[in-house]
Amino acid sequence: MGCARNDVDSEELAGRLAAQGWELTEDGESDVVVVNTCGFIDAAKKDSIDAVLAAADSGAKVVAVGCLAQRYGEDLAAQLPEAGAVLGFDDYVDISDRLDDVIAGRPLVPHKPTDRRTMLPISPVERPEAAKSLSLPGHADENLGRPASGPRVMRKRLVGGPTAPLKLASGCDRRCTFCAIPTFRGSFVSRTPEQVLDEARWLVEDGVKEVVLVSENSTSYGKDFGDVRSLEALIPRLGEIDGLERFRVAYLQPAEIRPGLLETLLGTPNAAAYLDISFQHSSASVLRRMKRFGSTDAFLALIERARVISPEVGIRTNVIVGFPGETEADLLELERFLSDGRLDAVGVFGYSDEDGTAAAGFDDKLDQSVIDERVERITAFAEELTAQRAEDRIGQIIEVLVEDIGPDYVEGRAEHQGPEVDGTTMVEGFPPGSIKIGDIVRCEVVETDGVDLIATPPIGHG
């Protein structure tokens, strides 16, 4: 359930289980079902609980892992007896033994959640050594529990196709007042460049053409190595991997995007002309209450610098509306940013209290009806603007990575379209059978459907 980071964690769990002789099933005839939950916001929590309940209906034993399980532990186990076990991240190393326990009916004591930020030193440069004694999901190739012999990468792909996420780091040191993720994901820890590159090569060997680097905060990569420019050094090395046709970096923090990093992200061969930037809002007063930095004008200046380097760069973001104390003036400022920024994709979320966050204790909360109205308003505004932005691309020559082919369609994504979260491109007009999944096809945009594009073979462009 949840984000691409959870997808990587699921594939690590699958790799561990496969190495211990477990067999993945697709027909529903399972001894045990493992649900990797999401604990981000209320809607994601509900989806995760529904998935556990649906799995229990199959008659199999059910194990809940992931962020919801880590965040609530024993409380979740008490409220969700349908789960045979609720396991935290520290159980991942011995996941095979834990499933044996569940099948045998041996009782497991759910973990008592703690603030995982307290498990590592405050100073980032002291963390790499200390992190070796922790179980960090997605870091199995570096941390405890790594078999002395076995697969080069502790990961088994659960979903095929030419695109795959690759974990760059885990945790976060930021203290955004609306976000609880650092409390259950812990402090920021980078994976080593060698392990990132090795896993990227492994993915390419498995048929992957595009890699998406994911983390809670990719722009902090390497600060625990004592080098804040580590991402700038890593990106060109990714561009040199044979067979890796394209890669992109997700989850960028605007306050940490240095000019040199921006130039590297948008100037490296095979790096997609794409920026996934977590703006969250643009009103300076709202951002201060969120314990974030920036303003409408500062963010617009960043976008302008990006477009000087790469005029057709794709830019996506998420924004939160209805934050405590948000005024009509703040909302108008956000609308100004969205209008002038000409973004390609915008996710709009209504504020909700999250356990353990500073904002949950703020005064001047807005009524839920006001939050809902603002979500509807900004969503409609963003959809109109992003559709216009898509129309601006009519006549452009784009390169589409083909991801799906049906009897009467070919679908893929251009550089400015991130997997699953952005729009797609329908490719038309090529001879039947001339395109296969994983191909990168040069096309001309001829039409749009909202944020989605329709493209055909280029005419008159050489």
Side-chain angles (χ1 to χ4, degrees):
M1 313 296 292
C3 65
R5 302 184 295 273
N6 239 19
D7 292 342
V8 177
D9 296 349
S10 293
E11 294 189 349
E12 178 197 301
L13 287 169
R16 287 189 181 278
L17 291 167
Q20 295 295 321
W22 291 82
E23 180 182 351
L24 289 168
T25 63
E26 297 181 2
D27 58 6
E29 296 297 323
S30 305
D31 296 305
V32 60
V33 177
V34 180
V35 180
N36 190 357
T37 61
C38 177
F40 181 42
I41 56 176
D42 286 343
K45 296 173 191 174
K46 183 181 183 302
D47 288 345
S48 293
I49 291 171
D50 288 345
V52 171
L53 296 175
D57 288 342
S58 71
K61 303 281 190 179
V62 181
V63 172
V65 299
C67 291
L68 190 68
Q70 176 64 40
R71 186 175 180 184
Y72 294 106
E74 55 191 7
D75 288 343
L76 181 64
Q79 297 175 30
L80 197 62
E82 291 82 358
V86 174
L87 305 179
F89 297 151
D90 294 333
D91 291 303
Y92 284 20
V93 171
D94 301 313
I95 187 65
S96 179
D97 291 341
R98 298 292 79 76
L99 297 197
D100 283 337
D101 292 336
V102 170
I103 289 176
R106 291 187 286 269
L108 293 171
V109 178
H111 74 283
K112 185 174 182 178
T114 59
D115 188 336
R116 286 182 71 86
R117 293 174 296 187
T118 64
M119 301 175 71
L120 289 171
I122 294 176
S123 173
V125 295
E126 296 178 7
R127 291 177 194 160
E129 187 63 30
K132 292 179 181 178
S133 62
L134 294 181
S135 176
L136 299 177
H139 294 233
D141 45 16
E142 295 152 36
N143 294 321
L144 81 169
R146 180 73 165 91
S149 62
R152 175 161 55 98
V153 173
M154 185 58 71
R155 180 173 176 179
K156 180 178 178 62
R157 294 191 72 201
L158 299 176
V159 179
T163 303
L166 196 168
K167 186 167 282 191
L168 189 64
S170 290
C172 185
D173 289 340
R174 302 186 72 87
R175 294 295 181 265
C176 301
T177 56
F178 56 83
C179 183
I181 290 175
T183 63
F184 55 87
R185 277 290 182 177
S187 300
F188 185 87
V189 180
S190 303
R191 299 182 69 198
T192 66
E194 290 73 22
Q195 295 296 340
V196 172
L197 293 166
D198 193 37
E199 188 162 326
R201 296 186 189 100
W202 178 84
L203 288 168
V204 169
E205 292 170 5
D206 197 58
V208 170
K209 300 295 184 180
E210 177 182 315
V211 160
V212 184
L213 298 177
V214 298
S215 72
E216 277 75 29
N217 177 7
S218 296
T219 36
S220 281
Y221 179 73
K223 72 175 186 178
D224 43 336
F225 305 149
D227 184 2
V228 296
R229 298 186 183 276
S230 295
L231 187 57
E232 293 170 47
L234 177 64
I235 288 171
R237 296 178 68 185
L238 281 162
E240 295 171 356
I241 294 177
D242 289 339
L244 183 58
E245 301 290 345
R246 196 160 77 189
F247 65 94
R248 66 186 72 228
V249 185
Y251 308 109
L252 305 171
Q253 291 291 338
E256 299 179 20
I257 300 179
R258 301 170 301 279
L261 177 58
L262 195 64
E263 292 172 3
T264 304
L265 284 167
L266 298 178
T268 299
N270 297 348
Y274 178 84
L275 297 173
D276 174 10
I277 306 178
S278 300
F279 289 115
Q280 302 299 355
H281 210 284
S282 73
S283 163
S285 61
V286 172
L287 289 167
R288 283 195 297 272
R289 289 174 64 81
M290 290 179 169
K291 281 200 174 178
R292 296 177 65 86
F293 304 94
S295 66
T296 296
D297 291 335
F299 292 163
L300 291 175
L302 172 60
I303 291 171
E304 181 58 29
R305 289 196 298 273
R307 288 184 172 140
V308 168
I309 300 169
S310 178
E312 305 305 334
V313 59
I315 302 175
R316 86 166 324 273
T317 195
N318 295 317
V319 297
I320 298 172
V321 297
F323 192 77
E326 182 189 61
T327 65
E328 177 64 20
D330 294 325
L331 209 63
L332 290 172
E333 190 71 357
L334 177 60
E335 289 181 332
R336 179 169 78 90
F337 167 68
L338 296 175
S339 178
D340 293 352
R342 296 169 47 242
L343 307 178
D344 292 87
V346 181
V348 182
F349 297 88
Y351 171 80
S352 61
D353 286 339
E354 284 296 317
D355 297 335
T357 62
F362 285 179
D363 296 327
D364 54 19
K365 301 277 181 64
L366 303 185
D367 290 341
Q368 189 60 49
S369 61
V370 175
I371 295 174
D372 293 344
E373 184 277 327
R374 291 184 177 185
V375 169
E376 184 177 356
R377 168 179 163 182
I378 297 300
T379 297
F381 188 59
E383 287 177 350
E384 178 182 357
L385 292 170
T386 52
Q388 291 174 2
R389 174 64 174 156
E391 290 176 358
D392 291 342
R393 295 187 181 275
I394 292 177
Q396 286 183 14
I397 302 300
I398 60 174
E399 292 189 339
V400 178
L401 173 63
V402 177
E403 294 184 314
D404 191 21
I405 297 177
D408 56 356
Y409 69 89
V410 175
E411 186 176 26
R413 290 178 298 103
E415 281 190 64
H416 71 279
Q417 296 170 324
E420 298 185 2
V421 293
D422 299 338
T424 62
T425 299
M426 301 300 294
V427 176
E428 301 178 349
F430 286 82
S434 64
I435 298 174
K436 63 182 183 299
I437 291 174
D439 285 350
I440 292 184
V441 184
R442 192 167 181 264
C443 307
E444 179 178 354
V445 181
V446 295
E447 194 177 344
T448 66
D449 181 7
V451 296
D452 298 327
L453 307 181
I454 299 171
T456 61
I459 299 175
H461 291 275

